[in-house]
Amino acid sequence: MRGFPILPPAASTVAHEVDALFAALVVMTVVLSGLIFFCITFFAIRYREGSKASRANARSESLPLELAWMIVPLGISFGVYCWASTLFAKMRVAPADATEIYVVGKQWMWKIQHRQGNREINELHVPAGRPVKLIMTSQDVIHSFFIPAFRIKQDVLPGRYTTEWFQATTPGVYHFFCSQFCGTSHASMTGLVTVMEPSRYENWLAGSGGGTPMASSGEQLFRQFGCVTCHLVNSTGRGPSLVGLMGSRVELEDGGTAVADRAYLQESILNPAVKIVRGYKPLMPVFRNQLTPDQVSQLIEYIASLGGRPVEAGGRHP
């Protein structure tokens, strides 16, 4: 279906699988709709008022027929569910070695930062043949990051992180869009994904102006806002030590526990009184209106650099 004008190019490892599922659903819908339409038309004409069709020995019930129209659709539906859920799970869990890139949606633009420090506006450079994981949040309203050629789309929400991943297969330039109406200039919230050979991508990272790595920027913010005075390495400060925190399970003052994933760290930075770590008092100030989403991501990258294992929202290790 490469030349079919309705479909965009298929340029990721899951694109053809998504197209196959879509085509199967379309075929099943057309076949079943056609069969129902044919039966309605046939019986309406054959048994119309005044026709000579025999109506003798009409049956009011048929157990095999009733079982058939329950079991066959159930089997088809279950098969489609297994197919779709397997593909969904594959698209949701990124490989452990995926290249991580941060994306911030803002009316009406996309701000992108690579962990090495490179920044982009409405552009995204990625290597071909390598998995790429987008870690996304919104600065204002709900957006949605959609790359048609890769067949991926994910809502981008204020105050929390969402992720999506892909592995581009074909070098080239592809469009991405915001697919969630977000205001008057929603239609202009677009950009371009440039897929490059891995060697060219590494050269681009080194020669595109670069910037301070996100972990280093986070360390500067950590010192600038005085976090270093409470979160001591030896756990003797007024706040818990952050060494090895990422991915660990934290015991809370209310008796519960929480996994220190990105969502937990973001909440603890912006609104620290929600989850108090056991043994510590709620002394940390609220940074909700003092830090931008970019700065929160930089702080999280710094905390991750202190050790631990990154996890997805909800406590799943990649």
Side-chain angles (χ1 to χ4, degrees):
M1 301 181 71
R2 181 177 299 176
F4 195 53
I6 294 179
L7 294 178
S12 74
T13 52
V14 300
H16 291 292
E17 297 181 61
V18 174
D19 289 347
L21 176 61
F22 175 74
L25 290 173
V26 171
V27 169
M28 285 189 293
T29 301
V30 171
V31 170
L32 291 175
S33 299
L35 178 62
I36 293 171
F37 179 78
F38 170 79
C39 291
I40 291 175
T41 304
F42 175 79
F43 289 118
I45 295 175
R46 181 172 176 79
Y47 297 103
R48 69 191 184 279
E49 184 178 1
S51 70
K52 297 180 180 181
S54 174
R55 296 174 176 80
N57 301 318
R59 300 181 62 178
S60 60
E61 61 181 34
S62 172
L63 181 59
L65 180 61
E66 292 178 4
L67 289 175
W69 70 41
M70 288 189 294
I71 294 175
V72 172
L74 178 63
I76 294 174
S77 300
F78 185 72
V80 171
Y81 167 78
C82 291
W83 184 3
S85 59
T86 301
L87 180 57
F88 175 80
K90 179 180 179 180
M91 296 174 66
R92 291 302 304 163
V93 182
D97 61 345
T99 299
E100 295 184 341
I101 300 175
Y102 283 85
V103 178
V104 176
K106 177 185 177 182
Q107 293 175 315
W108 289 273
M109 61 188 292
W110 296 102
K111 300 188 294 182
I112 295 166
Q113 185 171 16
H114 301 251
R115 298 181 74 179
Q116 295 85 344
N118 306 65
R119 295 175 180 268
E120 304 185 77
I121 299 293
N122 294 338
E123 287 189 88
L124 173 60
H125 288 74
V126 297
R130 294 182 188 172
V132 175
K133 178 181 175 182
L134 303 181
I135 304 169
M136 305 179 294
T137 189
S138 171
Q139 191 167 324
D140 36 50
V141 299
I142 298 176
H143 301 283
S144 190
F145 197 84
F146 177 37
I147 310 178
F150 299 165
R151 309 297 193 269
I152 60 170
K153 180 176 77 69
Q154 175 63 51
D155 285 351
V156 181
L157 309 175
R160 58 177 291 189
Y161 284 107
T162 57
T163 63
E164 64 180 346
W165 79 276
F166 60 86
Q167 181 171 319
T169 57
T170 308
V173 179
Y174 307 96
H175 291 278
F176 64 80
F177 305 89
C178 175
S179 59
Q180 178 72 42
F181 181 73
C182 56
T184 55
S185 296
H186 161 72
S188 64
M189 195 169 173
T190 64
L192 297 174
V193 181
T194 301
V195 180
M196 315 169 76
E197 294 293 346
S199 58
R200 289 191 58 201
Y201 174 72
E202 296 299 333
N203 292 335
W204 176 84
L205 283 177
S208 65
T212 305
M214 293 185 66
S216 298
S217 298
E219 183 178 9
Q220 295 174 12
L221 291 169
F222 193 77
R223 298 183 181 280
Q224 175 185 338
F225 284 92
C227 309
V228 68
T229 61
C230 293
H231 296 282
L232 302 180
V233 174
N234 57 9
S235 301
T236 60
R238 289 176 291 179
S241 173
L242 304 181
V243 176
L245 175 63
M246 177 67 85
S248 65
R249 186 165 291 277
V250 180
E251 295 185 356
L252 304 178
E253 192 65 31
D254 62 4
T257 62
V259 176
D261 56 10
R262 287 188 175 88
Y264 169 84
L265 295 177
Q266 182 188 46
E267 182 181 56
S268 297
I269 293 171
L270 299 179
N271 195 5
V274 174
K275 293 183 176 72
I276 305 299
V277 177
R278 179 176 296 178
Y280 295 92
K281 296 181 180 180
L283 302 176
M284 182 171 167
V286 175
F287 288 96
R288 178 172 296 277
N289 296 320
Q290 301 184 54
L291 296 171
T292 66
D294 300 44
Q295 292 174 321
V296 173
S297 297
Q298 291 163 8
L299 281 168
I300 291 174
E301 278 298 306
Y302 170 64
I303 295 171
S305 72
L306 298 178
R309 183 181 177 189
V311 293
E312 301 280 359
R316 300 191 310 273
H317 288 280

